[in-house]
Amino acid sequence: MNKVRYSPVYISMFVLLVSAIAAVQSTQGSLAQAFVYTAFWSIFYGIGLLCGWYYTEHGTKAFTVITTVLAVVSLIVFLGGLLFASMVDGLIACLLWLQAGRNFTFSLRRDVYYTYFVSLILILYAASITQQTSFVFFIIAYVLAVMYALMTEHIDERISSASGGDRDTLTGGMYLPIKGGVLSLMTLAVASVIFLLVPMLPSPHIQAFPSEGGWTYRNIWQKSDTGGKKGDLRGGGKFFWSRNPQNSATAGNGKKPVSHNHRPKDMYGGFKKHFDMLSPGKCMLSNRIVFYLQSDRPLYLRGKVFDNFNGRVWTSSGSGSQTVLINKGLFTFDIFTFDNDAREGGVRQVYIIHHTMPDIIMTAYKPLNLWFPGDAVQKRYDLSLRASGPLHSGTIYSVLSEIRDIDSRQSGGWEPLDSNDLHRYLQLPAPLPPKIKTLAQSMVGNSHSNFEKAELVEHYLKTHYTYTLDTIFEKPKGDPVSYFLFQRKAGHCEYFASSMVVLLRTLHIPARLATGYYADRYNPITGYYEVRELDAHAWVEAYVNYAWVTFDPTPGFQCPLPNHAHGYLIGSALGKYIGNRLRNDMLIRRNNPVINVLQKTGMLVDRFTMLLRKLWTMIREQAVAWLKVIVILGIIATLFTAGIAALLRFYIQPIHRFLDFWDFWRLKRIKRGDPETFIIRCYWTMEGYFKRKGIPRPSYCAPGEYRTVLITKFMHLSGQVSTITVLFQRAVYGTYRPGREDVEHAFEAYQKIQSGRHLKDEKA
């Protein structure tokens, strides 16, 4: 195989490898850690490629020994990763060390192809595990590096086949920096247009479902030294956690044991044991990402469920109805199954924790199976799940949920409800102002279906009340629900959800409050839903149609959610994502003067856009109305024309017979007149006859030429046609004066032409 002779090839290979390594390291750990590792490999690879360049010219054997040693190191690294981390991590490390060894003897074209292969594996691996939008810049850098590498390789191939002056001419006429820069800009422009206009497909991920890892969560519900019994949460057991060796990508150095009672700071109030609807927490004003969700649709992600309400604080009853599920499989991480009779199918979710969360395992209702990196989880009677400690950054778990659409709303499907549960979900705070029940009755009117009643209450709250986060800092006196419904008429989601539960229960509809996250912020670049602290949310689950159905009375939250989220062009989805980010930042910093100006400007733009929309709607409606009129008139005209044509076709033969009879009678009438006039009229009558038969004489066609056309068409009438045509030509263009004998010949010829039993359509 040919040797590499063009020195910029080594530079292009270095840039290609560094861009791929930087992409991989951007997905691993902190920014400082990524910088250190990238710098290490860059220096190592740079030295290796310099040695490879020297090896190409001199063939030093010491570099061959280094390559062999590093190959052995790569094998050891792979086996270590296989035993102490994962096969994927071991394979990636093995490829890095193999490439490092190959750089010291980089001299042949096959070494270039091997570098392409390694860099492609690295960038695909990084793309499969990244959740950052900024990763697109690493993709751009890698593509530009590949373009530069391909150009240098092409030049090297041409130089390899040249020699002497030809080689100098090729080397001097390449202008690689200029041509490469122009080609790169053109490629980026075309790729950007294609990227924004091509329909978006679901993002591919190398990780297969199910997925779990990142940390190990040990069972704290076993018998402890403080006297607690197995399964008894009152025991004083401690939670000891450690990094999961199956995911070395997030592995760190040793950590001290963390108490089970530890909770993240500024935790959302809906995740606490006692949920004060007036104190949801300042975390609702943070735009920080909590976790990433991989799913085929937006979802309501359930964390806790509350059923007991004293007018302000929500709590969960049935504390004894909780069980601890323990894995007893052969493997460390086994599947947790919550419904042995579950049907096939379901909605799959992968959760990647980005910021430390409480010990609540988020799921879409109703969870069927859970893949979690621990040997025990707690399940409550309402199918809310709890881990044995806070969920730390890097934790990965998967859920399979049964989601049944009831009128396009998220539901867990059919579930029985006994009398105890019915009493629990109809509890009302005492004393309850009578005007709340009166308001609920006025919302539903004469509706009889519980489902329809719930929809009417939800719609009323969405349309007659305003969503605002300003009420987080307000502490009203008295009954918060009455204050919200009859005075403030504005509030955060906890006001809306709590009020709807109370209103439904006054209508004897079982209902409960659910807290969790509203996951609908789809990032089209990474293919993940980004769930932020601002997305912490409270909604309602009402028991209608023998199922717990999701209702969300808060304005601005779409319920029911769309079944799928990938029905957009990438450009439109990216625009929606950026718009959501800007609106979130403006909502959080709403007291900033600059943000206020931007908000007012945005309101003006929205009003102007709404005006343009209304104008466009009016124009479109008028255009559609006129188009309908035009279409109807066109249909009527078409039907009328078709009817006339059919009528004429039905009566065409009688009309032609009448015209033939009329012409023959007129011709017979002037037979005793002037012979020349008769001959001319006889010829014109013959032309009219054949015109009705579909063979008119064109204006450019002379009588003699027309005779040829008729004879060709009707050979059996050649004598009659020739007789009339010749007499006509003599009478009109010559000095011949026709006589009575000519009149008789012409009349007899026309009479034979007109007789139906002789006229046959015969083509020559």
Side-chain angles (χ1 to χ4, degrees), residues 299-302 347 349 351 362-368 399-403 410:
L299 293 168
Y300 281 91
L301 303 178
R302 213 161 160 268
V347 177
Q349 312 127 64
Y351 298 79
M362 296 293 162
T363 66
Y365 191 74
K366 177 175 63 177
L368 300 177
V399 180
L400 177 65
S401 299
E402 179 183 9
I403 296 181
Q410 187 172 322

Side-chain angles (χ1 to χ4, degrees), residues 551-564:
F551 292 89
D552 193 344
T554 307
F557 291 83
Q558 186 178 357
C559 184
L561 286 166
N563 288 333
H564 300 280

Side-chain angles (χ1 to χ4, degrees), residues 81 101 135 147 161 210 214 220 303 328 440-441 461 503 527 539 564 655 673:
F135 188 79
M147 289 179 54
S161 59
I220 65 165
K328 297 181 180 179
Q441 291 291 344
L461 292 174
L503 291 168
W539 62 91
H564 300 280
I655 293 174

Side-chain angles (χ1 to χ4, degrees), residues 670-682 727 731 737-744 746:
I670 64 174
K671 180 180 177 183
R672 297 186 180 278
D674 180 45
E676 184 177 354
T677 302
F678 176 82
I679 295 297
I680 294 173
R681 179 59 62 85
C682 183
L727 291 174
R737 305 294 297 177
R740 289 294 167 187
E741 187 177 354
D742 296 325
V743 170
E744 292 295 336

Side-chain angles (χ1 to χ4, degrees), residues 198-219:
V198 168
M200 181 175 58
L201 299 175
S203 177
H205 296 276
I206 289 180
Q207 304 119 309
F209 184 89
S211 179
E212 48 74 24
W215 292 78
T216 301
Y217 295 83
R218 301 302 180 187
N219 183 11

Side-chain angles (χ1 to χ4, degrees), residues 79-292:
L79 294 176
L82 193 62
L83 294 174
F84 301 104
S86 67
M87 185 176 67
V88 174
D89 296 325
L91 179 61
I92 295 299
C94 177
L95 287 177
L96 289 173
W97 284 101
L98 277 177
Q99 181 64 51
R102 204 175 189 92
N103 289 341
F104 283 89
T105 55
F106 194 106
S107 60
L108 301 176
R109 194 67 54 77
R110 65 186 180 190
D111 297 326
V112 176
Y113 301 148
Y114 178 79
T115 303
Y116 284 144
F117 171 76
V118 171
S119 66
L120 182 61
I121 294 297
L122 293 177
I123 199 71
L124 288 177
Y125 168 73
S128 70
I129 64 175
T130 186
Q131 299 96 34
Q132 302 295 331
T133 307
S134 58
F135 188 79
V136 69
F137 297 106
F138 290 98
I139 295 292
I140 294 174
Y142 177 77
V143 171
L144 295 179
V146 170
M147 289 179 54
Y148 179 67
L150 290 173
M151 292 178 67
T152 57
E153 184 198 352
H154 175 67
I155 295 172
D156 179 69
E157 185 177 359
R158 294 181 62 184
I159 290 176
S160 299
S161 59
S163 61
D166 293 337
R167 181 174 180 178
D168 296 336
T169 302
L170 287 172
T171 306
M174 289 301 175
Y175 303 109
L176 184 60
I178 298 176
K179 293 182 178 179
V182 174
L183 182 60
S184 299
L185 293 176
M186 293 175 59
T187 303
L188 282 178
V190 174
S192 299
V193 173
I194 294 175
F195 178 76
L196 294 175
L197 297 182
V198 168
M200 181 175 58
L201 299 175
S203 177
H205 296 276
I206 289 180
Q207 304 119 309
F209 184 89
S211 179
E212 48 74 24
W215 292 78
T216 301
Y217 295 83
R218 301 302 180 187
N219 183 11
I220 65 165
W221 296 291
Q222 299 285 354
K223 183 177 180 181
S224 64
D225 296 336
T226 57
K229 296 181 180 180
K230 181 178 179 180
D232 186 359
L233 298 181
R234 295 172 295 178
K238 298 292 184 177
F239 166 62
F240 293 92
W241 50 262
S242 61
R243 285 290 192 180
N244 182 2
Q246 292 189 1
N247 192 348
S248 61
T250 56
N253 49 16
K255 301 284 186 178
K256 294 181 180 180
V258 177
S259 171
H260 169 66
N261 296 323
H262 169 74
R263 292 290 184 273
K265 295 181 179 180
D266 298 328
M267 182 175 66
Y268 173 53
F271 300 150
K272 298 178 181 178
K273 184 176 181 180
H274 302 281
F275 178 29
D276 187 349
M277 62 176 288
L278 302 183
S279 302
K282 294 183 180 180
C283 64
M284 294 187 66
L285 301 178
S286 171
N287 204 23
R288 179 172 54 188
I289 294 178
V290 183
F291 61 88
Y292 297 95

